[in-house]
Amino acid sequence: MGRTVLGPDGAKVTIYYDYKESLQWFLKTTIEDVEDQLGLTRTKEISSFTRYRGPSDTLGSIVKKHDAKYLVDPTLKSGNARPGKWFVLRTTKDADDQEKRRFTYTGSFHDLHAVLQADIKYPCYLRAEGSARHTINAIIDQTPE
């Protein structure tokens, strides 16, 4: 799962996505991934203990003291445990291509709406958790070349 931070300093929104291309399709500016801390390998010491094979095993076997390596990954999520709230972008019927994608975000909905309003390529519907459907129209650059 990738993530990117969009918006000016006062209105930053973090958007989480599975595929960068899915979000990039809707936006004018090129998005850049935010690098997460990579997984770390740590070592812990396991003290010696007696292992029994079953209830009838009275002697058991002694396992000597040894080290065990394990991975600590701060980005690991279990199942669909994604940070933030969901939102869906879907192109309007007037758009040339029909696309619908779901993402999650952290930050305020007002900031998300403002960031998308300034950077969207195609007219879209924005539907987010806890809000109604909003229409976001693409701002066409009218400056002569």
Side-chain angles (χ1 to χ4, degrees):
M1 172 177 58
R3 72 181 174 111
T4 189
V5 179
L6 299 175
D9 290 334
K12 288 207 180 282
V13 176
T14 303
I15 298 177
Y16 299 87
Y17 49 84
D18 286 328
Y19 300 103
K20 182 178 180 178
E21 296 79 16
S22 294
L23 181 60
Q24 186 63 63
W25 190 87
F26 288 99
L27 302 178
K28 294 179 199 171
T29 59
T30 304
I31 60 172
E32 295 180 15
D33 288 335
V34 174
E35 293 295 324
D36 287 323
Q37 181 183 6
L38 299 175
L40 305 171
T41 302
R42 294 210 175 135
T43 306
K44 67 178 178 179
E45 185 177 289
I46 308 293
S47 58
S48 64
F49 61 94
T50 305
R51 177 178 292 149
Y52 298 97
R53 293 184 183 211
S56 63
D57 187 4
T58 56
L59 298 176
S61 60
I62 297 174
V63 178
K64 296 179 183 176
K65 181 173 88 168
H66 62 281
D67 292 337
K69 291 183 183 178
Y70 62 98
L71 176 68
V72 177
D73 187 359
T75 63
L76 181 65
K77 300 293 178 199
S78 174
N80 197 22
R82 293 174 177 247
K85 301 176 205 157
W86 60 267
F87 73 97
V88 176
L89 287 174
R90 182 171 59 94
T91 54
T92 62
K93 292 180 172 62
D94 300 333
D96 295 334
D97 297 324
Q98 295 298 312
E99 291 290 330
K100 180 179 178 180
R101 298 284 185 265
R102 182 177 173 142
F103 309 99
T104 58
Y105 74 99
T106 55
S108 98
F109 176 75
H110 296 288
D111 293 341
L112 174 70
H113 188 274
V115 165
L116 292 176
Q117 183 70 45
D119 199 29
I120 205 82
K121 271 191 220 177
Y122 308 102
C124 292
Y125 296 125
L126 168 65
R127 185 174 298 253
E129 183 176 343
S131 75
R133 186 184 81 181
H134 298 268
T135 303
I136 300 178
N137 292 313
I139 298 172
I140 300 169
D141 188 15
Q142 302 267 339
T143 57
E145 295 180 15

